mmCIF file of all heavy atoms in Angstrom:
data_model
loop_
_atom_site.group_PDB
_atom_site.id
_atom_site.type_symbol
_atom_site.label_atom_id
_atom_site.label_comp_id
_atom_site.label_asym_id
_atom_site.label_seq_id
_atom_site.Cartn_x
_atom_site.Cartn_y
_atom_site.Cartn_z
ATOM 1 N N VAL A 1219 -15.463 -0.797 6.748
ATOM 2 C CA VAL A 1219 -14.020 -0.844 6.891
ATOM 3 C C VAL A 1219 -13.374 -0.221 5.652
ATOM 4 O O VAL A 1219 -13.716 -0.328 4.491
ATOM 5 C CB VAL A 1219 -13.513 -2.387 6.928
ATOM 6 C CG1 VAL A 1219 -12.015 -2.429 7.057
ATOM 7 C CG2 VAL A 1219 -14.270 -3.126 8.034
ATOM 8 N N ILE A 1220 -12.391 0.600 5.947
ATOM 9 C CA ILE A 1220 -11.581 1.209 4.891
ATOM 10 C C ILE A 1220 -10.113 0.807 5.153
ATOM 11 O O ILE A 1220 -9.631 1.007 6.378
ATOM 12 C CB ILE A 1220 -11.661 2.662 4.731
ATOM 13 C CG1 ILE A 1220 -13.131 3.022 4.406
ATOM 14 C CG2 ILE A 1220 -10.697 3.248 3.671
ATOM 15 C CD1 ILE A 1220 -13.381 4.549 4.218
ATOM 16 N N ILE A 1221 -9.441 0.211 4.201
ATOM 17 C CA ILE A 1221 -8.020 -0.221 4.380
ATOM 18 C C ILE A 1221 -7.120 0.457 3.377
ATOM 19 O O ILE A 1221 -7.586 0.914 2.351
ATOM 20 C CB ILE A 1221 -7.805 -1.679 4.410
ATOM 21 C CG1 ILE A 1221 -8.268 -2.232 2.979
ATOM 22 C CG2 ILE A 1221 -8.556 -2.422 5.509
ATOM 23 C CD1 ILE A 1221 -7.931 -3.644 2.725
ATOM 24 N N SER A 1222 -5.884 0.608 3.774
ATOM 25 C CA SER A 1222 -4.863 1.108 2.781
ATOM 26 C C SER A 1222 -3.636 0.453 3.197
ATOM 27 O O SER A 1222 -2.903 0.767 4.149
ATOM 28 C CB SER A 1222 -4.762 2.586 2.846
ATOM 29 O OG SER A 1222 -3.915 3.047 1.782
ATOM 30 N N LEU A 1223 -3.232 -0.645 2.454
ATOM 31 C CA LEU A 1223 -2.112 -1.508 2.839
ATOM 32 C C LEU A 1223 -0.927 -1.489 1.823
ATOM 33 O O LEU A 1223 -1.045 -0.852 0.776
ATOM 34 C CB LEU A 1223 -2.629 -2.956 2.900
ATOM 35 C CG LEU A 1223 -3.800 -3.187 3.839
ATOM 36 C CD1 LEU A 1223 -4.234 -4.639 3.861
ATOM 37 C CD2 LEU A 1223 -3.450 -2.724 5.286
ATOM 38 N N PHE A 1224 0.134 -2.097 2.199
ATOM 39 C CA PHE A 1224 1.403 -2.118 1.412
ATOM 40 C C PHE A 1224 1.911 -0.764 1.208
ATOM 41 O O PHE A 1224 2.369 -0.366 0.155
ATOM 42 C CB PHE A 1224 1.127 -2.792 0.031
ATOM 43 C CG PHE A 1224 2.340 -3.628 -0.431
ATOM 44 C CD1 PHE A 1224 2.266 -4.440 -1.462
ATOM 45 C CD2 PHE A 1224 3.569 -3.496 0.247
ATOM 46 C CE1 PHE A 1224 3.363 -5.142 -1.972
ATOM 47 C CE2 PHE A 1224 4.694 -4.169 -0.193
ATOM 48 C CZ PHE A 1224 4.549 -5.077 -1.312
ATOM 49 N N HIS A 1225 1.896 0.046 2.356
ATOM 50 C CA HIS A 1225 2.535 1.331 2.424
ATOM 51 C C HIS A 1225 1.999 2.364 1.411
ATOM 52 O O HIS A 1225 2.677 3.351 1.006
ATOM 53 C CB HIS A 1225 4.103 1.221 2.151
ATOM 54 C CG HIS A 1225 4.640 -0.086 2.677
ATOM 55 N ND1 HIS A 1225 4.374 -0.460 3.987
ATOM 56 C CD2 HIS A 1225 5.492 -0.978 2.123
ATOM 57 C CE1 HIS A 1225 5.073 -1.646 4.182
ATOM 58 N NE2 HIS A 1225 5.662 -1.927 3.054
ATOM 59 N N VAL A 1226 0.685 2.194 1.028
ATOM 60 C CA VAL A 1226 0.182 3.224 0.066
ATOM 61 C C VAL A 1226 0.174 4.594 0.669
ATOM 62 O O VAL A 1226 0.473 5.586 -0.064
ATOM 63 C CB VAL A 1226 -1.347 2.804 -0.235
ATOM 64 C CG1 VAL A 1226 -2.083 3.920 -0.906
ATOM 65 C CG2 VAL A 1226 -1.352 1.551 -1.135
ATOM 66 N N ILE A 1227 -0.062 4.791 1.990
ATOM 67 C CA ILE A 1227 -0.067 6.076 2.642
ATOM 68 C C ILE A 1227 1.275 6.782 2.426
ATOM 69 O O ILE A 1227 1.408 7.958 2.376
ATOM 70 C CB ILE A 1227 -0.398 5.972 4.163
ATOM 71 C CG1 ILE A 1227 -1.864 5.531 4.263
ATOM 72 C CG2 ILE A 1227 -0.237 7.239 4.855
ATOM 73 C CD1 ILE A 1227 -2.887 6.441 3.744
ATOM 74 N N ASN A 1228 2.316 6.028 2.440
ATOM 75 C CA ASN A 1228 3.660 6.592 2.266
ATOM 76 C C ASN A 1228 3.940 7.208 0.843
ATOM 77 O O ASN A 1228 4.850 8.012 0.778
ATOM 78 C CB ASN A 1228 4.765 5.523 2.537
ATOM 79 C CG ASN A 1228 4.771 5.001 3.939
ATOM 80 O OD1 ASN A 1228 4.234 3.922 4.200
ATOM 81 N ND2 ASN A 1228 5.195 5.809 4.910
ATOM 82 N N TYR A 1229 3.086 6.850 -0.043
ATOM 83 C CA TYR A 1229 3.205 7.526 -1.427
ATOM 84 C C TYR A 1229 2.527 8.918 -1.385
ATOM 85 O O TYR A 1229 2.693 9.644 -2.315
ATOM 86 C CB TYR A 1229 2.585 6.660 -2.398
ATOM 87 C CG TYR A 1229 3.361 5.454 -2.851
ATOM 88 C CD1 TYR A 1229 3.218 4.222 -2.279
ATOM 89 C CD2 TYR A 1229 4.262 5.584 -3.838
ATOM 90 C CE1 TYR A 1229 3.957 3.120 -2.584
ATOM 91 C CE2 TYR A 1229 5.048 4.456 -4.246
ATOM 92 C CZ TYR A 1229 4.979 3.283 -3.583
ATOM 93 O OH TYR A 1229 5.699 2.181 -3.985
ATOM 94 N N ILE A 1230 1.916 9.275 -0.357
ATOM 95 C CA ILE A 1230 1.210 10.561 -0.182
ATOM 96 C C ILE A 1230 2.201 11.536 0.506
ATOM 97 O O ILE A 1230 2.302 11.466 1.734
ATOM 98 C CB ILE A 1230 -0.102 10.503 0.542
ATOM 99 C CG1 ILE A 1230 -0.962 9.434 -0.133
ATOM 100 C CG2 ILE A 1230 -0.828 11.812 0.600
ATOM 101 C CD1 ILE A 1230 -2.312 9.115 0.632
#
Side-chain angles (χ1 to χ4, degrees):
V1219 180
I1220 299 179
I1221 61 171
S1222 189
L1223 305 178
F1224 213 173
H1225 326 310
V1226 166
I1227 293 297
N1228 296 104
Y1229 284 92
I1230 305 172

